[in-house]
Amino acid sequence: MPTCLTTRFTERFGLDHPIALAPMDKISGGALAAAVSEAGGLGLIGGGYADGPWLAQALAQAGNRPVGVGFITWSALEHPETVEIALNANPKALMVSFGDAEPLVEAAQAKGIPVIWQVQTLAQAKQALAAHADVIVAQGQEAGGHGMSRGLMSLLPTIRDLAGKEQIILGAGGIADGRGLAAVMMLGGDGVLMGTRFWACQEASGPQSAKDRMLGLGGDDTIRSKVFDVARDAGWPWHFTGRVVRNRFLNQWHDDPDLQARAPEAQAAYDASDEEDYGTRVLIAGEALDLIRDLPTAAEIVERTSAEAASLLRGAASTL
Amino acid sequence: MPTCLTTRFTERFGLDHPIALAPMDKISGGALAAAVSEAGGLGLIGGGYADGPWLAQALAQAGNRPVGVGFITWSALEHPETVEIALNANPKALMVSFGDAEPLVEAAQAKGIPVIWQVQTLAQAKQALAAHADVIVAQGQEAGGHGMSRGLMSLLPTIRDLAGKEQIILGAGGIADGRGLAAVMMLGGDGVLMGTRFWACQEASGPQSAKDRMLGLGGDDTIRSKVFDVARDAGWPWHFTGRVVRNRFLNQWHDDPDLQARAPEAQAAYDASDEEDYGTRVLIAGEALDLIRDLPTAAEIVERTSAEAASLLRGAASTL
């Protein structure tokens, strides 16, 4: 048994490690969420755009292991029936991000389910605090997938100063090992939420070709863009961008000032491509790609991240 | 005497604190650089675009106190006579950023002057290592002023993995207190380079109205943009953006796809404004603005940042 890190987050959720799985849309399926929870972290199923049948299947796959569910807020608000599926499964937490989640907080907390609200700005953090979110995730722009422009380095301590010392706060974005976890704790965080690191993992629900591809890529290969939201007609509010791996399709469209006007053209080209045509199709991943050079199990990721952070924190005083 | 943090950086440069002053163009004058060095950090004069007479004056102001000089690489290469002024002053270090600095490294090291090379990507870090830079600064996009898009959270550990454990590496961007310094040390850094925090400081060479204004602003108020480089006709390579405070002028031009074509129009409007017209004029500052709520002396900043980091590192093991 490795030395455990104890924080407000581990105490509140009964965890061995202050590590949560980012609810990556359809990548964080039942198997991955359950594996993270069984390893002593907090597994969150990637409910994403609130596809009911997919979520029901993922929950069934997790069985009676204690997992939470995460949604894209603006999409979940359009699919209350899918939110019901999540809440009726008595999840360990409901996570929300990207929008005005007050009604979701109310619905979850009425059933005694704690809410994790991910924010990208200080203004959003104020909104989440006003809604009495149980946990706030400060997501830096380093993160893969949707987000905004602020970096984690100042966003996290800023939210800590705003929220006071009792609020549970996690850091997300650019974290893939124990150095990131230890840094987040120095910034005032109670743990981390990791996405890309768990994407490149045995239990993630995604094609092997994508996982293999990630091992040869780095953060310099990623960019925040609107291209794939437009090409997939995904309905995203314009102020959110998505961090993705650059490819031929992105390079073709990213600087086109007429992207919105030419959306049908981009969509037709995208739809005509094969699912594993990585020159066209989106591969969502964060800047932490440089730090990811293997495809371990979720349990290995949880344990070694926590052990490395514990070792760094234990040795921290040696520089004094 | 507060507890001192000892790192490769403090040992190499004979410092009491692993804190360097970012050489902010004409803000980091002789008084500020000397004050940081006298407080036990490393003060770097902001040689910026390599204006010879200004630099000579700043060096005179620093007197015989041990300071370094920083330049914008691409501009310094166009002004070898200003680089000569710097090197002939026997500075404690030459800092370079934004471009192919190999000739500057060679010129400085030939005189026994160590070189600090700031990078924004992993590719640039490889270039700096190949040129045998004495110190590498990993600059995250959180930073005020010019930079690129990568966040510090993953860039710093990635460069550490690339460079090996003996290389001196500093973190920059989004850091304004001891939490940031302690976090950087957990990520594998040997210290920090701070800009905005020292801009909001007694000795900084800038108008009091700008300093006062910063105290009411936060990171959400800043953005990376090309607008002011175009409006000031500053000659910047297109891949570098500048983090600035949003204002009326920026909002008017930032999303204009014809910004480059309409440059003369933007320049005329900018030139016609008063120097302290903050609705038009650029105020350069980073995302750490939220963490800056006073205008202390440089010595106070150095001492409290170091003391807070020391306290956090000393207490880090308590979570185990």
Side-chain angles (χ1 to χ4, degrees):
Chain A
M1 183 75 182
T3 308
C4 290
L5 295 170
T6 303
T7 70
R8 297 172 197 89
F9 178 53
T10 60
E11 288 180 344
R12 171 72 186 270
F13 289 87
L15 309 174
D16 294 327
H17 307 288
I19 297 169
L21 165 67
M24 296 175 282
D25 177 42
K26 295 190 177 171
I27 301 299
S28 300
L32 178 54
V36 171
S37 286
E38 289 207 316
L42 178 60
L44 295 163
I45 288 173
Y49 298 91
D51 173 339
W54 184 89
L55 178 61
Q57 191 180 36
L59 285 164
Q61 198 178 7
N64 52 12
R65 292 167 295 184
V67 300
V69 176
F71 289 116
I72 294 162
T73 302
W74 60 262
S75 192
L77 292 171
E78 295 169 5
H79 298 283
E81 73 288 355
T82 306
V83 176
E84 277 305 297
I85 292 171
L87 297 183
N88 288 338
N90 194 28
K92 217 161 166 197
L94 178 73
M95 180 165 160
V96 293
S97 187
F98 314 117
D100 303 321
E102 290 84 349
L104 302 174
V105 174
E106 211 168 304
Q109 291 181 342
K111 295 193 174 203
I113 298 163
V115 175
I116 302 170
W117 184 325
Q118 180 173 269
V119 303
Q120 290 83 33
T121 65
L122 186 60
Q124 291 174 12
K126 288 177 183 168
Q127 187 183 7
L129 286 169
H132 303 290
D134 298 275
V135 177
I136 291 180
V137 179
Q139 186 204 32
Q141 62 86 35
E142 300 92 331
H146 287 91
M148 290 181 72
S149 67
R150 290 201 62 166
L152 186 57
M153 190 58 57
S154 76
L155 182 61
L156 203 160
T158 296
I159 294 177
R160 171 60 68 203
D161 289 345
L162 173 75
K165 65 180 183 176
E166 298 305 324
Q167 176 68 44
I168 302 174
I169 301 175
L170 307 182
I175 301 159
D177 60 27
R179 291 176 289 186
L181 171 53
V184 160
M185 291 179 69
M186 291 296 98
L187 292 173
D190 302 298
V192 293
L193 182 97
M194 298 198 295
T196 309
R197 176 60 277 189
F198 284 117
W199 195 164
C201 150
Q202 294 295 320
E203 295 93 338
S205 300
Q208 186 66 35
S209 60
K211 298 180 187 179
D212 291 340
R213 186 157 179 260
M214 282 191 270
L215 301 186
L217 295 168
D220 287 5
D221 300 311
T222 72
I223 187 171
R224 300 206 75 84
S225 182
K226 295 298 297 180
V227 165
F228 292 106
D229 288 342
V230 170
R232 296 185 300 167
D233 198 13
W236 276 88
W238 199 255
H239 56 288
F240 295 115
T241 54
R243 182 171 294 286
V244 298
V245 174
R246 292 171 184 269
N247 62 6
R248 184 190 51 71
F249 188 85
L250 183 133
N251 291 336
Q252 181 186 342
W253 289 97
H254 183 72
D255 290 320
D256 190 332
D258 298 323
L259 174 65
Q260 277 180 289
R262 294 176 64 196
E265 191 184 335
Q267 288 159 15
Y270 193 82
D271 291 344
S273 66
D274 288 337
E275 278 204 17
E276 296 187 35
D277 166 10
Y278 292 113
T280 304
R281 290 288 169 132
V282 65
L283 176 57
I284 298 174
E287 290 191 346
L289 273 174
D290 300 284
L291 306 173
I292 295 169
R293 288 296 170 259
D294 58 2
L295 300 173
T297 64
E300 284 178 81
I301 293 170
V302 170
E303 284 159 19
R304 74 191 188 192
T305 300
S306 187
E308 185 185 17
S311 168
L312 286 166
L313 294 168
R314 195 180 299 112
S318 68
T319 53
L320 299 170
Chain B
M1 182 76 184
T3 308
C4 290
L5 296 170
T6 304
T7 70
R8 296 173 198 89
F9 177 54
T10 60
E11 289 179 344
R12 171 72 187 269
F13 289 86
L15 310 174
D16 294 328
H17 307 288
I19 296 170
L21 165 67
M24 298 175 282
D25 178 41
K26 295 189 176 172
I27 301 299
S28 301
L32 178 55
V36 171
S37 287
E38 289 207 317
L42 177 61
L44 295 162
I45 289 174
Y49 299 91
D51 172 339
W54 184 90
L55 178 62
Q57 190 180 36
L59 284 164
Q61 198 177 8
N64 52 11
R65 292 167 295 185
V67 300
V69 176
F71 288 117
I72 295 162
T73 302
W74 59 262
S75 192
L77 292 171
E78 295 168 4
H79 298 283
E81 74 290 355
T82 307
V83 176
E84 277 305 298
I85 293 172
L87 297 183
N88 288 338
N90 194 28
K92 217 163 165 195
L94 178 73
M95 180 164 161
V96 293
S97 187
F98 314 117
D100 303 321
E102 290 84 351
L104 302 174
V105 175
E106 210 168 306
Q109 291 181 342
K111 296 193 174 204
I113 298 162
V115 174
I116 302 171
W117 183 325
Q118 179 173 269
V119 302
Q120 289 83 33
T121 65
L122 185 60
Q124 290 173 14
K126 287 176 184 169
Q127 186 182 6
L129 285 169
H132 304 290
D134 298 274
V135 176
I136 291 180
V137 179
Q139 185 204 34
Q141 62 85 36
E142 300 92 332
H146 287 92
M148 290 181 72
S149 68
R150 290 203 60 167
L152 186 57
M153 190 58 58
S154 76
L155 182 60
L156 203 160
T158 296
I159 293 176
R160 171 60 68 204
D161 289 344
L162 173 75
K165 65 180 182 177
E166 298 305 325
Q167 175 69 42
I168 301 175
I169 302 176
L170 306 182
I175 301 160
D177 61 25
R179 292 175 291 186
L181 171 53
V184 159
M185 291 179 69
M186 291 294 100
L187 292 173
D190 301 299
V192 294
L193 181 98
M194 299 198 295
T196 310
R197 176 60 277 189
F198 284 116
W199 194 165
C201 151
Q202 295 295 321
E203 295 93 338
S205 301
Q208 186 67 34
S209 60
K211 297 180 186 180
D212 291 340
R213 186 157 180 259
M214 282 192 269
L215 301 185
L217 295 167
D220 288 5
D221 299 312
T222 71
I223 187 172
R224 300 205 75 84
S225 182
K226 294 300 296 180
V227 165
F228 293 106
D229 288 341
V230 171
R232 296 185 299 167
D233 198 13
W236 276 88
W238 199 254
H239 57 287
F240 296 114
T241 55
R243 183 171 293 286
V244 297
V245 174
R246 292 170 184 270
N247 63 4
R248 185 191 50 71
F249 188 84
L250 183 132
N251 291 335
Q252 181 187 342
W253 289 97
H254 183 71
D255 290 320
D256 190 332
D258 298 323
L259 173 64
Q260 278 179 289
R262 294 176 63 194
E265 192 183 333
Q267 288 160 16
Y270 193 83
D271 290 344
S273 66
D274 289 338
E275 278 203 19
E276 296 188 35
D277 165 9
Y278 292 114
T280 303
R281 289 289 169 132
V282 65
L283 176 57
I284 298 174
E287 291 191 346
L289 273 174
D290 299 285
L291 305 172
I292 295 168
R293 288 297 170 258
D294 58 3
L295 299 174
T297 63
E300 284 178 82
I301 293 171
V302 169
E303 283 158 21
R304 74 191 188 194
T305 300
S306 187
E308 185 186 17
S311 168
L312 286 167
L313 294 168
R314 196 180 300 113
S318 68
T319 53
L320 299 170

